[in-house]
Amino acid sequence: PAAPPVTPLPDPSLLTSAAASEFSSPLFTRRCSNLLRLLADGHLSPHLVVVASFLSLVLPMVTTARVIVALQLDPAYVKGYWSEDADSKALRREGRALERIVAYRHPDLLEAIEGAGIKLWEIARGWFGSLFFHLLPSNGRFALFDAFLEDGVLFLFRFALALLQHRKPLIMQAETPERVRELLEMVEKK
């Protein structure tokens, strides 16, 4: 299928700011900003920034752009994840589907999460949108991306379920809603 028409972002400072959130080096910030200029379609998804910035470290810029576009066009991968309406459609759909699976397989876990005032689908939206990249160190992203390329969005669901199962004992013992959120967002107290 042909690539959709792309409308560049009108404000280059937004691209630079997004790139600077991922890189401290002026060179990498500039490269990432240029890449985002190619990829942004009138809207800049923070999830796209995370994925594109990582891939730009290991792939040439043109190859990174091609990979991102290919992922967005194929329904087996991230179609609609990084578009302007992603939060209201594609990512919400995936998050709600995960929530239904967890309700069936781990009702006690979902009850604990909801009891903390947290909507799992909202957390999952960030997981799926960033392909879990924001949760993992760089060396873990390679294996994750390889498995994602092999199985597409189905891998993201399996990974989410494995993550929840791994964190379940801690979530069930969490004493505050803030701690439940930290466990789901993989934020550790320092």
Side-chain angles (χ1 to χ4, degrees):
V6 174
T7 307
L9 286 176
D11 184 2
S13 67
L14 180 61
L15 299 171
T16 302
S17 175
S21 73
E22 296 296 317
F23 297 110
S24 57
S25 156
L27 173 65
F28 285 112
T29 298
R30 190 171 42 259
R31 286 185 68 227
C32 185
S33 179
N34 289 336
L35 175 63
L36 294 173
R37 189 170 290 112
L38 292 172
L39 297 171
D41 186 13
H43 168 75
L44 185 61
S45 164
H47 306 305
L48 171 63
V49 173
V50 170
V51 175
S53 63
F54 173 72
L55 293 179
S56 74
L57 289 173
V58 295
L59 298 172
M61 188 165 58
V62 172
T63 305
T64 300
R66 287 181 179 153
V67 167
I68 295 288
V69 169
L71 290 174
Q72 291 183 87
L73 293 175
D74 190 330
Y77 294 103
V78 297
K79 188 171 184 158
Y81 278 23
W82 302 320
S83 66
E84 189 169 1
D85 64 343
D87 284 336
S88 63
K89 291 187 180 175
L91 290 174
R92 182 180 296 239
R93 178 191 65 230
E94 308 294 39
R96 296 231 188 248
L98 178 65
E99 199 171 64
R100 286 190 300 275
I101 294 167
V102 173
Y104 177 75
R105 295 182 74 182
H106 304 282
D108 55 336
L109 176 59
L110 185 60
E111 185 178 317
I113 292 168
E114 290 176 342
I118 298 168
K119 295 178 181 165
L120 179 58
W121 70 268
E122 290 178 347
I123 299 289
R125 202 170 48 182
W127 291 350
F128 282 75
S130 71
L131 308 182
F132 292 91
F133 279 13
H134 68 293
L135 300 180
L136 298 173
S138 295
N139 60 351
R141 294 175 184 180
F142 292 109
L144 184 139
F145 194 65
D146 186 48
F148 170 70
L149 289 176
E150 183 72 27
D151 293 331
V153 75
L154 295 176
F155 170 76
L156 298 180
F157 278 96
R158 286 196 298 273
F159 191 84
L161 289 169
L163 175 68
L164 287 167
Q165 187 164 342
H166 175 72
R167 290 284 170 138
K168 182 178 179 177
L170 296 172
I171 291 170
M172 300 302 287
Q173 295 172 3
E175 295 182 10
T176 65
E178 292 78 20
R179 182 61 182 150
V180 173
R181 183 169 295 280
E182 288 170 357
L183 290 165
L184 291 171
E185 294 177 347
M186 305 279 289
V187 176
E188 295 302 324
K189 290 183 180 179
K190 295 185 177 174

